[in-house]
Amino acid sequence: MRSDTIKKGFDKAPHRSLLRATGLKDEDFDKPFIGIANSYIDIIPGHFFLHEYGEIVKQAIREAGGVPFVFNTIGVDDGIAMGHEGMLYSLPSREIIADSIETVMNAHQLDAMICIPNCDKIVPGMIMGALRVNVPTIFVSGGPMPAGHKKDGTPIDLATAFEAVGQHAEGKMSDEELYEIECEACPSGGSCSGMFTANSMNTLCEAMGIALPGNGTVLAMTPERIAMVKTAAKRIVELAKMEDNSKYNFKNILNEKAVHNAFVVDMAMGGSSNTVLHMLAIAIEADVDFKIENINAIAEKVAHIAKISPSLTTVHMKDIDDAGGVNAVMLEVSRRGNLLITDALTVTGETIGERIKDAKILDENIIHRNENAFSQVGGLSILFGNLALEGAVVKSAGIAPSMRQFKGTAICFNSQPEAIKGIMSHKVKAGNIVVIRYEGPKGGPGMQEMLAPTALIQGMGLGESVALITDGRFSGATKGASIGHVSPEAAEGGLIALIEDGDEIELDVDKHILQLNVNDEELLRRKHHYVPYKNEVKSKWLKRYQLLVSNASNGAVLKTEL
């Protein structure tokens, strides 16, 4: 066992002495040492109960013959950090989480790991750390919350609350209506109820085979979820006890096949655009050569068969679970030939094909057949053009048909707060394309999410007449013609920095085009006179991050060599 490094031999007497101080007995030194990477934190709705999951996992590991060691990572709630300087810390937190996983697991030479994430950057951060450690690892997330409901029975969620702010600002919603939504949109613990970033990533954990079936859809704090937690804990001990468990080392599960399957399921379910950013980073950590342009090739073959809030406001994660879950989605996708790699191994020991063979679609109004898909192409698209030489990302599943091809005039803002102020003061009109720049990984720094501006645009009734492009990113709750991750970003000299108010910008989601219609001579003149805008950065951590971070098309990973 790997942990023999810290527990076997006469020279490890001091190490064992310290371990005995934590409660270990003689018999424990022949058992596998298993890390429980928890992410309990009181301020995040999807995490305030995870210490209870941690205790359940500890007990189940002990009963199965392992020795559990709980440790914790940090977490940032993107919804609470939204719209102020706190959002600068969200994406950087992914790197702290990955580093903390690597640090604890390798410093103590633990044999295997179970990860308990749920929301925002915590899932990909833990995955990246687990890939570096590369021991048998199982993910079991906290689970989604149910949708909220208004008094009239209308289902609502966090996206409803953000859009309500725009409606209230326009005088279209009373104080009482806004308060009702505030109180009902997030009714209990769990990740937010739609196909936002958290649930997108938790769903992709199933597709990659690193979690048990239901990980993305079974509601938090239910008996079914607790049973899943116990099963995961028992399984990780089984893996740790195997004489040769190398085939279950994390990189042998999360490999090229798993990355491919993640993007296939992402397309079929119209996941958050943030999944592109995180899966590119995960691919790099997994030593998988996956290029951003590969995403369009997958999207062109995969039908979009499940539409979930924010793209379809009446459908939430529990509805997907009731309709057959992610397994049913994967089985339907697999009917189109070799789109899903069914011989990919999972942590339960079966292949993806074996896992999904008995799945059934139980409600075809929720999970469609390929022949009756919402779209015959996937729910995400990568755009290229002079504005995005290295790519830009759009959640095409959330775009109205009238906005899939759009020409508009630019109105430019050099920060998200500036844009919010401009939108709320009615500077943005129908036919505009809002440009928010210097908000990329390096420019922000930290690549802020833009849910507040996009929700304001929707709430003010401009969702089908205004587009938005940014080198920042969007919340999974964003919908509309919102193009993010523009690379190169403004801070590294990307063309987005040279756009001026009134310029014509053209986008075509179906042809994957994002183009600034300004002649080369004029662009050269602007470049000659260009003075970069710089956000003032006081934080020492964010300054370090700014020096090392790559752009969005490279997953916003930190460089390890200068």
Side-chain angles (χ1 to χ4, degrees), residues 57-92:
V57 170
K58 278 177 69 175
Q59 184 61 32
I61 287 174
R62 286 195 187 100
E63 290 173 356
V67 180
F69 294 97
V70 178
F71 63 98
N72 223 67
T73 66
I74 65 164
V76 172
D77 187 294
D78 284 13
I80 297 171
M82 192 75 64
H84 58 89
E85 67 177 14
M87 183 50 76
L88 297 173
Y89 292 89
S90 173
L91 184 59

Side-chain angles (χ1 to χ4, degrees), residues 263 267 289-299 382 384:
F263 277 113
M267 297 302 157
D289 184 16
F290 188 94
K291 306 296 184 189
I292 192 170
E293 53 266 30
N294 296 354
I295 295 171
N296 285 338
I298 294 173
I382 309 301
F384 294 94

Side-chain angles (χ1 to χ4, degrees), residues 24 54 77 87 95 176 194 236 250 281 294 354 379 391 414 424 469 490 520 527-528 538:
L24 268 61
D77 187 294
M87 183 50 76
E95 309 308 313
E176 291 76 19
I236 198 63
F250 203 55
N294 296 354
E354 290 166 340
N414 286 337
M424 293 193 76
I469 70 168
D520 291 343
K527 193 171 184 179
H528 180 71
K538 295 179 180 178

Side-chain angles (χ1 to χ4, degrees), residues 148-270:
H149 291 86
K150 295 172 71 174
K151 290 176 184 175
D152 63 5
T154 303
I156 58 174
D157 53 41
L158 183 65
T160 315
F162 273 99
E163 290 175 17
V165 173
Q167 294 170 340
H168 185 270
E170 284 291 282
K172 297 176 181 178
M173 179 177 288
S174 68
D175 291 346
E176 291 76 19
E177 289 173 302
L178 180 61
Y179 182 69
E180 180 190 9
I181 290 171
E182 173 190 328
C183 293
E184 301 298 331
C186 299
S188 67
S191 50
C192 294
S193 55
M195 194 65 168
F196 311 151
T197 304
N199 291 329
S200 296
M201 290 305 306
N202 289 329
T203 295
L204 298 193
C205 286
E206 290 190 54
M208 291 186 285
I210 63 174
L212 274 57
N215 186 68
T217 58
V218 174
L219 291 184
M221 300 188 293
T222 58
E224 295 79 10
R225 195 82 200 182
I226 299 305
M228 185 191 304
V229 170
K230 291 178 180 178
T231 301
K234 291 174 183 176
R235 177 59 180 167
I236 198 63
V237 178
E238 290 175 5
L239 295 180
K241 284 185 171 182
M242 287 181 181
E243 189 170 335
D244 181 7
N245 58 16
S246 59
K247 84 170 188 175
Y248 291 102
N249 284 346
F250 203 55
K251 282 188 176 181
N252 290 333
I253 303 289
L254 207 170
N255 53 20
E256 187 174 2
K257 294 177 181 180
V259 171
H260 173 88
N261 285 345
F263 277 113
V264 168
V265 172
D266 210 7
M267 297 302 157
M269 300 185 72

Side-chain angles (χ1 to χ4, degrees), residues 389-453:
L389 296 175
E390 297 177 32
V393 181
V394 61
K395 186 173 181 175
S396 50
I399 299 180
S402 61
M403 295 294 289
R404 295 183 75 87
Q405 291 82 34
F406 186 73
K407 285 184 181 178
T409 55
I411 179 166
C412 301
F413 304 98
N414 286 337
S415 69
Q416 179 175 214
E418 187 181 316
I420 292 170
K421 191 180 296 184
I423 295 166
M424 293 193 76
S425 62
H426 299 92
K427 287 184 179 179
V428 175
K429 310 291 184 185
N432 280 155
I433 293 185
V434 176
V435 178
I436 307 178
R437 57 197 176 194
Y438 298 101
E439 290 288 10
K442 190 175 290 291
M447 203 180 184
Q448 294 194 67
E449 287 190 351
M450 303 287 169
L451 180 54

